[in-house]
Amino acid sequence: MPSKKARSAQKSAERSETTTVNYWTSRRNGEVRLRKLEDAFYDRTPLTVHDMVIDTATRFTNYIALGSKYKNTWHLLTYIEYYEQCRQAAKAFLKLGLERFHGVGIMGLNSEEWAIAYIGAIMAGGFSVGILSTNTPKACQIIAENSKMNVIVVDNDKQLQKVMQIQGYLKHLKGIVQYKEVIQSEQRNLYSWQRFLDLSHDISDERLDKIIDSQKPNQCCTLVFSLTSMGPPKAVMLSHDNITWTTAATVQSLSFKRPPEAQETLVSYLPLSYIGSQIFDMWVAISVAGALYFAQPDAVKGTLIDTLREVRPTTFYGVPGIWDQMADSLKARHLGATMFRRKFDNWAMVLGLKTNLKQMFGQRQLPLGFGLAKTLTFDRTRKFFGLEHCRQFFNLGLGLPRATLEFFLSLNIPIFEFYGQTECTGVHSVSSHRAFQLLSCGKPFRDTNTKVLEGDKDGIGDICIWGRNVFMGYLNNKEATKDKIDSLGWMHTGDLGFLDADNFLHIAGNVNDIITLSSGEKINPGPIEEQVKMFIPIVHYVVLVGQDMPYLCALLTLKCQVNVETGEPRDALTEEAVDFCRNLKSHSTRLSDIINNQDSIVMEYVDQAIDVINREARSESARIVKWTILDTDFSIGAGELGVTTKVKRGIVYKMYQAEIEKFYEN
């Protein structure tokens, strides 16, 4: 560690703040006006990322920071070792020629090297740019060119080959670092992780400290790219203050512990290039001096539960796909249990749901028998997943269906939803033990503002937010930035929803998802799709279609097992779906048993359920006229789902254009 005591909050306060009037910028070296409220309850001092990291490294020097498993042994880094390696990486980036406000791309699965490279690039004055390992070479090229990438860090040869294909087009590229596997082909600008860190010896502490000291909280430190099926990608500029303020607001809103009272234990498996998981995994862990353990590369294919059982985290974050897998495992386990065990668990779950719903409205007294249910069912369930030490459970993908939320609530596992976009640093509102309401995204952060524009008769309208979590702007895209942030600094999210009387935020869809029928009537598909999933438990995903057409139709997928090796859906239905069919007196066990009208029992049930939904429709135009069951479930690999398993409507429309056209044939 450098001899002089580094950068404290007091030093940050003494930095001269920008005199820029604008709340936004599209320039890579631009500065923005921070959104401070005059009557703020708790106005946090603006900090840089380095301020936050060194504060924890100084106060919690010898506590475990990172854990990575190699073969059967955990490699652990303390906070002082973590900080020192970040400094080493920063120096090495400078040695490779990283320029101020230029990019360092990091492409690979979550690991200690990923985190160290990310923080090191920021310390060195560059932009850290997380790149999804599933991106194509062309997508990588677009990201690298837009961010003026000087260095690309990859985890293995597969990712390296993508860079090799495009490096001739990257005029700013000066070095490539591979941190996993043995490098198979030597070249002048290619470095192994250790050889890369060794470059740090040629850069002095004084030179690095000078760069760190020159950084301001209202300057950009990371770029997050949104690659969509429509139009060029947008580079979201996030400032130091965006990261540090949002992290502090998240910690304040939730129930984290710090040493020496206790140390949080977290497991990282969701892509860190997604800013939501990055905030919760990397930055919250640093803020509370938690121990962050990295899951195995095949975590989502089945080994996640092994890591959870070994590490036993105190907080767990899932996405809808993971919660579905966990629910399916529990339901299959339940079906295979003895008659007595099934009856006892059913009794416990009824009691658990009633108790938790009452607690949601302030009733804290536990009913008779709850302790027995907790010991024999609830605790047993948590231990099955390695979650017996968990105090908080989160869904990092908006909108779990009510059935899933109530299923886990019946097992005394309240899943907290949150709301955020990349443009608001991943988080704006969050549920907690102090603020929990089923089907809401919790309450907005303190010292932020949230308003709903042009609400309909139900109060649903465009959600706008204002706060220090709102991004700086889109890099080199002034017009798109002005469309997103108005002159008063309000960010127009494009999401639809409402704030209830208790200030809980509810999301009801997105402006871009609105379907305009040929009659001119506009339909928000979200609430209708949720109804379909609630009325037809065998259905996994629903996508309404009908843009510029005379009526609505629906694409349905059924719940199918997933190939643990590839992540692709199988033909076989889940245990829950098979049990559902059995209750209908259907013998179907596979998707192919049902599609193309082969199972009249299931098809009739779906048809009747759609009729019930249509009778409750708000208007004639909001009814589903035709529907079809697709011959496969959606998946991330096939492209229908995003990283948080959110449906990509534009992709679905393109992939299933033939099925959609059949709906409207005369």
Side-chain angles (χ1 to χ4, degrees):
M1 181 179 286
S3 56
K4 65 180 183 179
K5 191 128 179 179
R7 284 61 67 198
S8 64
Q10 181 62 36
K11 187 170 183 179
S12 290
E14 292 172 355
R15 291 190 180 107
S16 59
E17 289 194 2
T18 179
T19 57
T20 307
V21 175
N22 285 342
Y23 285 111
W24 59 266
T25 182
S26 60
R27 295 182 294 111
R28 64 180 55 247
N29 63 345
E31 300 176 17
V32 293
R33 178 182 176 186
L34 300 182
R35 293 168 176 79
K36 291 186 175 183
L37 294 172
E38 293 182 5
D39 58 346
F41 178 82
Y42 180 47
D43 193 9
R44 300 178 188 88
T45 301
L47 301 173
T48 65
V49 164
H50 181 266
D51 291 330
M52 181 169 66
V53 175
I54 195 171
D55 178 67
T56 298
T58 303
R59 294 167 57 202
F60 304 101
T61 302
N62 295 316
Y63 283 89
I64 294 172
L66 302 178
S68 305
K69 195 169 189 179
Y70 299 100
K71 296 183 179 179
N72 294 318
T73 305
W74 283 98
H75 174 254
L76 304 176
L77 283 181
T78 63
Y79 267 99
I80 190 61
E81 292 169 334
Y82 188 11
Y83 175 73
E84 289 291 3
Q85 288 203 23
C86 290
R87 285 184 66 89
Q88 273 189 279
K91 291 179 183 180
F93 284 132
L94 292 174
K95 177 64 177 177
L96 286 177
L98 175 61
E99 299 174 63
R100 193 80 165 93
F101 304 117
H102 283 54
V104 171
I106 308 165
M107 181 165 55
L109 299 178
N110 299 3
S111 66
E112 66 179 55
E113 294 90 350
W114 201 107
I116 289 166
Y118 200 90
I119 296 173
I122 293 174
M123 285 184 178
F127 294 152
S128 287
V129 186
I131 307 174
L132 278 172
S133 57
T134 54
N135 276 356
T136 63
K138 181 61 178 178
C140 295
Q141 180 183 338
I142 293 171
I143 292 171
E145 289 178 333
N146 286 0
S147 60
K148 295 185 177 179
M149 206 166 277
N150 289 156
V151 185
I152 299 180
V153 181
V154 299
D155 63 351
N156 57 29
D157 186 69
K158 179 181 178 181
Q159 305 302 335
L160 176 63
Q161 294 309 312
K162 296 179 185 178
V163 181
M164 295 296 193
Q165 290 181 45
I166 62 173
Q167 65 174 330
Y169 301 97
L170 308 181
K171 61 182 180 180
H172 298 283
L173 187 63
K174 300 177 181 180
I176 307 168
V177 181
Q178 181 180 322
Y179 60 82
K180 298 286 187 188
E181 301 178 358
V182 176
I183 293 178
Q184 297 181 14
S185 56
E186 297 291 336
Q187 69 176 55
R188 183 180 57 81
N189 66 338
L190 177 60
Y191 300 83
S192 67
W193 183 251
Q194 188 55 55
R195 186 169 162 235
F196 163 70
L197 291 180
D198 288 343
L199 296 174
S200 64
H201 301 315
D202 293 334
I203 304 296
S204 67
D205 282 330
E206 289 73 22
R207 179 180 171 187
L208 176 59
D209 289 338
K210 185 176 181 180
I211 293 171
I212 290 172
D213 287 338
S214 71
Q215 296 172 17
K216 299 178 182 179
N218 63 341
Q219 292 176 323
C220 183
C221 69
T222 186
L223 299 176
V224 184
F225 281 81
S226 58
L227 290 169
T228 64
S229 58
M230 300 174 63
K234 296 174 184 175
V236 176
M237 301 170 63
L238 298 179
S239 69
H240 290 267
D241 186 69
N242 284 149
I243 298 290
T244 58
W245 186 92
T246 304
T247 300
T250 303
V251 170
Q252 184 192 25
S253 299
L254 301 175
S255 303
F256 294 104
K257 296 184 183 296
R258 284 188 176 90
E261 176 192 4
Q263 188 179 26
E264 292 289 340
T265 302
L266 308 171
V267 172
S268 176
Y269 70 99
L270 299 171
L272 289 173
S273 51
Y274 167 56
I275 192 62
S277 61
Q278 188 184 122
I279 288 290
F280 281 102
D281 282 2
M282 275 179 57
W283 303 119
V284 165
I286 289 173
S287 178
V288 302
L292 180 65
Y293 291 85
F294 294 101
Q296 296 299 299
D298 55 353
V300 294
K301 296 180 181 179
T303 64
L304 175 61
I305 191 171
D306 298 324
T307 304
L308 295 176
R309 287 169 176 168
E310 187 172 2
V311 172
R312 295 187 296 178
T314 55
T315 296
F316 178 70
Y317 314 110
V319 292
I322 293 297
W323 290 116
D324 284 346
Q325 289 178 28
M326 293 173 72
D328 290 342
S329 296
L330 289 174
K331 289 170 183 176
R333 185 167 174 254
H334 179 75
L335 291 171
T338 65
M339 180 67 73
F340 175 78
R341 166 54 70 179
R342 290 202 301 272
K343 286 185 176 180
F344 184 88
D345 286 346
N346 286 337
W347 166 80
M349 291 172 71
V350 170
L351 183 66
L353 182 59
K354 286 181 179 178
T355 302
N356 278 286
L357 288 175
K358 287 179 179 178
Q359 288 187 342
M360 207 165 63
F361 296 100
Q363 183 173 323
R364 299 299 175 189
Q365 185 175 357
L366 296 178
L368 188 67
F370 188 85
L372 183 64
K374 180 178 182 298
T375 300
L376 297 183
T377 297
F378 306 153
D379 291 350
R380 184 170 172 263
T381 298
R382 292 191 182 200
K383 190 171 183 179
F384 176 71
F385 290 116
L387 301 175
E388 63 266 38
H389 292 170
C390 263
R391 297 186 295 271
Q392 302 176 107
F393 302 87
F394 294 92
N395 175 44
L396 294 193
L398 184 65
L400 281 174
R402 187 184 191 102
T404 303
L405 292 169
E406 289 189 346
F407 174 77
F408 282 100
L409 200 59
S410 72
L411 291 165
N412 203 34
I413 297 176
I415 300 175
F416 300 144
E417 299 270 16
F418 81 100
Y419 170 73
Q421 296 184 344
T422 300
E423 287 88 347
C424 62
T425 324
V427 196
H428 181 71
S429 71
V430 66
S431 300
S432 69
H433 289 293
R434 299 189 297 270
F436 178 63
Q437 189 182 101
L438 215 59
L439 299 178
S440 87
C441 299
K443 295 185 177 183
F445 285 147
R446 181 180 289 172
D447 299 336
T448 63
N449 287 319
T450 308
K451 65 182 180 181
V452 179
L453 301 179
E454 300 177 358
D456 61 16
K457 64 181 181 180
D458 295 322
I460 297 174
D462 296 350
I463 298 170
C464 297
I465 64 178
W466 192 97
R468 281 166 63 182
N469 54 337
V470 173
F471 77 130
M472 299 177 67
Y474 296 116
L475 179 64
N476 300 327
N477 197 334
K478 186 175 180 179
E479 292 307 312
T481 302
K482 289 170 69 176
D483 287 341
K484 194 73 173 178
I485 304 176
D486 65 26
S487 59
L488 298 177
W490 284 90
M491 180 181 124
H492 296 248
T493 66
D495 285 323
L496 299 171
F498 65 94
L499 284 166
D500 66 19
D502 296 315
N503 202 39
F504 282 92
L505 181 63
H506 299 255
I507 304 300
N510 185 275
V511 173
N512 295 326
D513 297 338
I514 295 296
I515 297 172
T516 304
L517 298 176
S518 56
S519 63
E521 185 166 353
K522 297 182 183 297
I523 306 293
N524 180 9
I528 303 173
E529 291 166 351
E530 287 306 311
Q531 272 193 307
V532 173
K533 288 191 282 186
M534 182 175 69
F535 275 79
I536 314 172
I538 197 174
V539 167
H540 199 186
Y541 293 102
V542 185
V543 176
L544 288 192
V545 299
Q547 180 66 33
D548 299 324
M549 294 297 177
Y551 50 81
L552 292 178
C553 297
L555 301 172
L556 311 178
T557 77
L558 302 188
K559 294 178 179 177
C560 295
Q561 296 179 23
V562 176
N563 185 317
V564 295
E565 295 299 323
T566 64
E568 294 302 304
R570 296 181 183 273
D571 183 40
L573 299 173
T574 63
E575 293 282 350
E576 177 194 6
V578 171
D579 188 55
F580 177 83
C581 290
R582 291 289 179 271
N583 290 333
L584 293 179
K585 308 303 181 185
S586 162
H587 297 289
S588 292
T589 60
R590 298 173 301 172
L591 178 60
S592 55
D593 295 334
I594 298 174
I595 58 175
N596 300 321
N597 295 312
Q598 294 184 91
D599 189 327
S600 59
I601 296 175
V602 172
M603 302 301 278
E604 183 179 355
Y605 179 89
V606 174
D607 208 39
Q608 290 176 354
I610 296 291
D611 285 344
V612 172
I613 294 167
N614 284 340
R615 286 198 292 271
E616 297 180 359
R618 298 179 59 181
S619 69
E620 187 76 26
S621 299
R623 295 179 177 179
I624 299 171
V625 175
K626 297 180 183 180
W627 55 271
T628 190
I629 298 174
L630 300 177
D631 60 5
T632 183
D633 198 359
F634 294 162
S635 67
I636 295 173
E640 301 104 333
L641 305 178
V643 68
T644 61
T645 66
K646 181 180 179 181
V647 173
K648 296 181 177 179
R649 292 179 185 273
I651 299 294
V652 170
Y653 295 157
K654 288 182 179 179
M655 291 178 64
Y656 299 97
Q657 186 174 0
E659 286 81 358
I660 295 172
E661 289 176 351
K662 286 181 182 178
F663 287 143
Y664 301 101
E665 291 176 352
N666 292 330

